[in-house]
Amino acid sequence: MNKGIFLDRDGTINIEKDYLHRIEDFEFEDGALEALKIFQDLEYKIIVVTNQSGIARGYYSEEDLALLNDYMIKEAKKEGIEISAVYYCPHHEEKGVGQYKIKCECRKPNPGMLLKGIEEFKIDPSQSYMVGDRKSDLEAGDRSGIKSILVKTGYGKNNSDQLEGKYPVYENLLAFAQSLTKKD
């Protein structure tokens, strides 16, 4: 069985920008690449799980998202980091249009994307983490049997007071990664 780090994308790996879909607007959070390298060095599979309601709302296409995710993966690879998978949910039950207006199991806080990663990469949930900046990220981790971690980047800076105590809270992804080096 493998260990996994499941990561929300927007506000955790990259700077939160509403409905981010253009490569020129993508910026890694400070220390994010260093954090990913630490996870990899500790032999965690790195799996990104991201809600993308901008697709559901018709703001951008799945092709636009694929280009952006490919860019993120290539930038990580330049640093010697392998992102094992990027799963995304293009649905929104209320605000979606057309085929994307459905109730699904993949939209966090539902665990669908995490369960897919657990199965595909033979992940041991008891040795794995879900890291994100929103309550929905943490609840998806809970529903998957994975320990959940809140970072104070993105929306996490506004959510940390209400979630601290229930979940461990770190300043950013790098601070969490560094904490793992002390445990392993």
Side-chain angles (χ1 to χ4, degrees), residues 36-143:
L36 296 177
K37 183 75 170 112
I38 291 170
F39 297 145
Q40 181 171 285
D41 290 347
L42 293 172
E43 299 182 352
Y44 286 92
K45 297 282 185 191
I46 300 168
I47 301 168
V48 178
V49 289
T50 179
N51 287 348
Q52 292 294 317
S53 73
I55 295 170
R57 297 166 195 251
Y59 297 164
Y60 52 92
S61 69
E62 290 190 66
E63 292 78 19
D64 294 331
L65 178 67
L67 289 171
L68 184 66
N69 286 337
D70 287 347
Y71 172 79
M72 175 185 66
I73 290 166
K74 286 177 185 165
E75 290 300 300
K77 194 167 273 196
K78 287 180 187 176
E79 302 297 322
I81 301 159
E82 181 183 340
I83 295 175
S84 296
V86 178
Y87 300 120
Y88 68 93
C89 173
H91 310 116
H92 198 289
E93 186 175 6
E94 289 126 27
K95 297 183 179 166
V97 293
Q99 66 182 349
Y100 298 114
K101 187 175 182 166
I102 62 168
K103 182 177 169 102
C104 64
E105 285 304 309
C106 54
R107 184 169 179 79
K108 296 175 291 183
N110 293 325
M113 291 185 283
L114 287 84
L115 295 175
K116 184 176 180 180
I118 288 168
E119 182 179 331
E120 187 172 333
F121 293 97
K122 297 176 178 38
I123 301 291
D124 178 354
S126 72
Q127 293 188 39
S128 301
Y129 296 92
M130 172 65 215
V131 186
D133 67 327
R134 292 179 180 243
K135 185 178 180 185
S136 59
D137 299 322
L138 309 179
E139 289 175 347
D142 290 348
R143 293 176 183 183

Side-chain angles (χ1 to χ4, degrees), residues 21-40:
H21 64 281
R22 297 181 330 165
I23 290 171
E24 57 267 27
D25 296 330
F26 185 94
E27 295 177 75
F28 283 99
E29 281 283 351
D30 286 341
L33 287 168
E34 187 179 345
L36 296 177
K37 183 75 170 112
I38 291 170
F39 297 145
Q40 181 171 285

Side-chain angles (χ1 to χ4, degrees), residues 15 31 34 68 100 141 146 160 172:
I15 294 172
E34 187 179 345
L68 184 66
Y100 298 114
I146 295 174
S160 62
N172 57 28

